[in-house]
Amino acid sequence: MKREEISSGEVLQALDTACQQVERNLPDFTYRCQNHSSVNNFYAPCENNQWTCGFWPGEICLAYEHTQNEVFIHAAQIQVESFLHRIENHVEVDHHDMGFLYSPSCVSVYKLTGNLHARQAALLAADQLISRFQPIGNFIQAWGKMGARENYRYIIDCLLNLPLLYWASEETKNDVYRDIAMKHIQTCLENSFRGDGSTFHTFFLDPENGNPVRGETCQGYRADSSWARGQAWGIYGLALSYRYTRKKECIDLFRKATGYYLSHLPLDLIPYWDLIFTSGDEERDSSSGSIVACGLLEMSKYLEKEEAETYISLARQMLKSLYDSYRVVDLGMSNGLVLHGTYSKKSPYNTCTPEGVDECVSWGDYFFMEALTRLKGAWNLYW
Ligand code: GLY
C-alpha cells in the first residue's frame, strides 16, 4: 500500500522548525555537548566524551546550510576546537566510532569553511580509526582491548565510520586509509548479512586465523533477530560503501537488506526497536526510520530511474510519517527534534545497558535533518 509522501513545502517547514529548535539550544550546547539521549524528552549537556557527540554539531552545520545564518557556523567552529582537543588528548577515543564523531562535526566544517583545525582533527581521528585494524580477519575492531578474544569483533554500525577513511585518503593522497576501509567492507559483506537480508549486530572472528566465528547482538533483541538500527546502519552503510567503492555486491545486498526491513515494518513505516516485533506495544526506534531514509536517498543516485523513484518515494513516505507523528512541533515540550527513538533496550538475551528508551536520540535528530536536507536539493555529504 502506498502511503502519503512528504511534500516539498513540508520539507521546508520541518527544516525551519528544526533550525528554530537548534538555535534555541545554542546557549546550552555551544561550549558543551549534547547527551546521547534525552530524559523525558529533554537532553542534558555533557562533556565531549561520548560516541554520539558529533551529531549535535552536525545539526548545527545543517542548520547553517538551510539558513545561511552565521550564528550556526560560529557555534560549529567552537565545537571544532573541542573535537581537536579530544583527539589530541585521546579522550575516550579507544573505539571505532571516529566517523560518527568526526564526520558530522569536523569534515562538515572543513567542507563548509576550509577550517584547518577541523581538517587536522578529522585526519587525527582517521589515524586513530586505522590503528584499530586487525589484519588477522581484516576488520576494524569495535570496542575494548585490541586483540583480546572476547573483543575480537566488529559491528555493523562501523559502515558509517568508513567514509572518514575515504575522505582522509582523498585529502592526504595516501591510500592507506582507503585500503583498510576496503578490507573492512569486504569482511562485513561476507559475514554481517544473512541470506534473507537480515543482519547481525556484532560479528566475532578468530584471533588465531581470522576465520568467522559467530554473530551476536549487544542492542538487538536476540543474536538471531535484526536490531532495527543495525539494519538501518547496514542499509545506509551499503549505500555509502557503494558510493566510495562501486562494488556491485553493495547494491545487491542493499536491495535484500532494504526488502527485509520493509517487510518488517508496522503500518506507519517506523520500526519497532527490533525487527522481530511487527505489531504490539514495544517501543519504536524513530532514528532507524531517518537513517534508512538517508540510505534510500543516497542509493537512488546510482540506480536506474524506475528503481530509484521507488526508493525515493519510500523515503518520502517514511519522512511523512516522521513529520506527522514523531517530530517535535511544540518547541516547549522537548529540546530535541524527533520523539520515540530507542538507544538501548534490555532484553533477556542481549548485553546492553538500558538507556534512552522512547526518547529523543541525538543521531535521530541529526539524520532527520540530513534526510530533509537531501530532499531539499543537492547536498555535499559530510560522510
Ligand atoms: N552505534 C551505536 C548505536 O547505534 O546505538
Side-chain angles (χ1 to χ4, degrees):
M1 182 181 94
K2 188 165 173 193
R3 288 166 196 81
E4 210 185 330
E5 298 180 4
I6 193 166
S7 69
S8 303
E10 287 166 336
V11 167
L12 293 180
Q13 200 191 346
L15 273 171
D16 287 346
T17 309
C19 292
Q20 280 167 27
Q21 184 72 304
V22 172
E23 191 169 2
R24 275 167 65 111
N25 284 336
L26 285 178
D28 285 338
F29 304 117
T30 294
Y31 291 94
R32 309 279 312 271
C33 292
Q34 192 181 60
N35 208 44
H36 47 68
S37 48
S38 64
V39 175
N40 297 326
N41 296 325
F42 280 86
Y43 292 103
C46 69
E47 297 303 315
N48 195 343
N49 59 12
Q50 303 179 356
W51 72 270
T52 51
C53 290
F55 296 114
W56 162 250
E59 288 168 52
I60 303 178
C61 289
L62 291 174
Y64 172 67
E65 295 211 51
H66 180 58
T67 62
Q68 294 298 306
N69 183 342
E70 296 287 326
V71 75
F72 292 117
I73 203 66
H74 177 65
Q77 304 211 55
I78 291 170
Q79 288 275 334
V80 163
E81 297 305 317
S82 162
F83 279 81
L84 180 59
H85 177 271
R86 178 169 177 175
I87 192 72
E88 282 182 337
N89 292 280
H90 217 86
V91 179
E92 297 291 336
V93 291
D94 278 328
H95 55 78
H96 70 150
D97 282 326
M98 295 303 108
F100 280 123
L101 280 167
Y102 283 85
S103 296
S105 65
C106 290
V107 174
S108 54
V109 173
Y110 175 58
K111 286 186 175 175
L112 291 170
T113 68
N115 180 318
L116 291 178
H117 280 185
R119 179 181 186 274
Q120 188 187 349
L123 288 177
L124 288 172
D127 285 336
Q128 169 60 15
L129 184 53
I130 60 170
S131 77
R132 297 192 64 83
F133 181 65
Q134 293 289 10
I136 301 179
N138 284 321
F139 68 98
I140 295 172
Q141 188 181 315
W143 306 311
K145 189 169 166 344
M146 288 296 282
R149 186 171 280 274
E150 71 277 11
N151 274 315
Y152 212 72
R153 65 169 149 186
Y154 70 91
I155 69 175
I156 195 162
D157 321 28
C158 192
L159 290 176
L160 271 284
N161 290 318
L162 302 184
L164 180 68
L165 300 183
Y166 299 118
W167 171 82
S169 272
E170 237 178 80
E171 269 309 299
T172 60
K173 311 289 172 236
N174 180 347
D175 280 343
V176 66
Y177 306 99
R178 182 184 172 79
D179 290 348
I180 285 180
M182 295 289 281
K183 286 182 178 153
H184 180 97
I185 176 77
Q186 193 53 38
T187 304
C188 183
L189 295 179
E190 282 166 19
N191 298 299
S192 292
F193 297 85
R194 306 185 189 107
D196 60 359
S198 65
T199 52
F200 290 116
H201 177 199
T202 87
F203 200 88
F204 282 91
L205 295 106
D206 188 327
E208 311 280 315
N209 51 29
N211 288 341
V213 176
R214 67 181 182 285
E216 276 198 9
T217 198
C218 171
Q219 285 153 280
Y221 182 74
R222 254 183 2 212
D224 64 351
S225 68
S226 270
W227 175 44
R229 197 160 58 259
Q231 192 79 14
W233 294 137
I235 290 168
Y236 192 11
L238 286 168
L240 290 169
S241 297
Y242 184 76
R243 177 187 178 94
Y244 293 110
T245 69
R246 301 291 154 155
K247 269 175 178 286
K248 184 179 167 298
E249 225 180 321
C250 294
I251 298 194
D252 298 340
L253 271 178
F254 172 90
R255 290 188 180 118
K256 282 178 89 167
T258 303
Y260 186 90
Y261 177 84
L262 294 173
S263 65
H264 288 74
L265 291 180
L267 280 178
D268 74 354
L269 300 182
I270 303 304
Y272 292 92
W273 65 277
D274 190 292
L275 301 182
I276 202 168
F277 307 112
T278 51
S279 61
D281 54 11
E282 285 286 332
E283 291 81 3
R284 306 299 181 102
D285 178 26
S286 56
S287 73
S288 296
S290 294
I291 296 164
V292 168
C294 291
L296 300 181
L297 293 172
E298 180 61 27
M299 192 56 112
S300 67
K301 295 176 188 168
Y302 315 109
L303 301 171
E304 296 293 332
K305 191 166 179 287
E306 195 182 333
E307 190 179 18
E309 281 175 0
T310 304
Y311 285 133
I312 293 170
S313 170
L314 278 163
R316 283 190 169 276
Q317 293 167 50
M318 291 171 190
L319 286 161
K320 174 66 172 163
S321 183
L322 290 165
Y323 175 89
D324 281 344
S325 311
Y326 292 80
R327 82 188 167 114
V328 173
V329 179
D330 170 0
L331 302 188
M333 62 91 69
S334 168
N335 62 359
L337 306 184
V338 188
L339 306 171
H340 309 303
T342 292
Y343 181 11
S344 293
K345 180 161 176 183
K346 190 80 193 100
S347 84
Y349 313 104
N350 72 19
T351 56
C352 70
T353 309
E355 287 186 283
V357 176
D358 197 19
E359 290 287 347
C360 301
V361 292
S362 59
W363 58 91
D365 291 353
Y366 168 80
F367 285 106
F368 181 59
M369 282 189 82
E370 180 183 311
L372 295 168
T373 304
R374 283 172 173 275
L375 284 181
K376 186 181 160 188
W379 176 64
N380 187 11
L381 273 66
Y382 305 156
W383 305 102

